[in-house]
């Protein structure tokens, strides 16, 4: 992926976005951490059975790249074994982020909820 999509973000932004993207994917796939992110996953009124167990899920590759002027996308390729026991690798998930600046001039990355 690195050769096909060369790096275009500062290294510290890329590291931060990759960590955030992995965390969001883990929460989405395994359910762990969803309640801490109602801005992304919505209010969880009932406990949803996770599609993947923690030990049956892994990120195979990940990159973070620019997406427009104030945006970035974290592109993750991952593998997992679902509740039915079917293992599939090469799954793809993208998380999109927007760079915002606080009133104090601090720049942060904010995830855009999936549509």
């Amino acid at each position: 992926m690195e050769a096909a999509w060369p790096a275009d973000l500062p290294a510290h932004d890329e590291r931060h976005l990759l960590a955030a993207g992995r965390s969001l994917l883990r929460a989405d796939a395994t359910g762990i951490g969803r309640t801490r992110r109602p801005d992304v996953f919505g209010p969880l009124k009932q406990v949803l059975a996770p599609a993947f167990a923690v030990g049956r899920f892994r990120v195979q590759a990940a990159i973070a790249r620019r997406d427009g002027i104030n945006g970035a996308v974290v592109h993750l390729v991952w593998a997992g074994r679902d509740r039915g026991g079917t293992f599939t690798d090469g799954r793809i998930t993208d998380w999109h982020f927007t760079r915002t600046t606080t009133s104090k001039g601090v720049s942060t990355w904010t995830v855009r909820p999936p549509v």
Side-chain angles (χ1 to χ4, degrees):
M1 283 195 311
E2 293 282 341
W5 200 353
D8 59 1
L9 287 166
H12 66 279
D13 282 338
E14 186 172 5
R15 281 190 305 274
H16 174 77
L17 288 163
L18 287 172
R22 284 184 176 105
S23 175
L24 288 164
L25 176 60
R26 186 170 293 107
D28 192 30
T30 67
I32 296 172
R34 279 185 170 205
T35 57
R36 290 188 298 260
R37 296 304 308 261
D39 58 323
V40 178
F41 301 110
L44 300 175
K45 295 180 180 160
Q46 64 182 10
V47 177
L48 302 173
F52 299 89
V54 175
R56 297 180 175 179
F57 160 86
R58 76 174 192 283
V59 175
Q60 296 174 301
I63 59 173
R65 299 295 184 258
R66 289 191 189 280
D67 182 27
I69 296 171
N70 288 321
V73 60
V74 176
H75 184 75
L76 300 122
V77 180
W78 59 283
R81 186 175 313 277
D82 64 24
R83 290 186 303 261
T86 303
F87 178 84
T88 306
D89 64 355
R91 295 171 184 263
I92 298 172
T93 298
D94 289 331
W95 290 100
H96 296 268
F97 293 81
T98 301
R99 181 182 290 270
T100 56
T101 304
T102 67
S103 60
K104 296 181 181 183
V106 177
S107 180
T108 61
W109 290 101
T110 304
V111 66
R112 289 183 264 175
V115 286

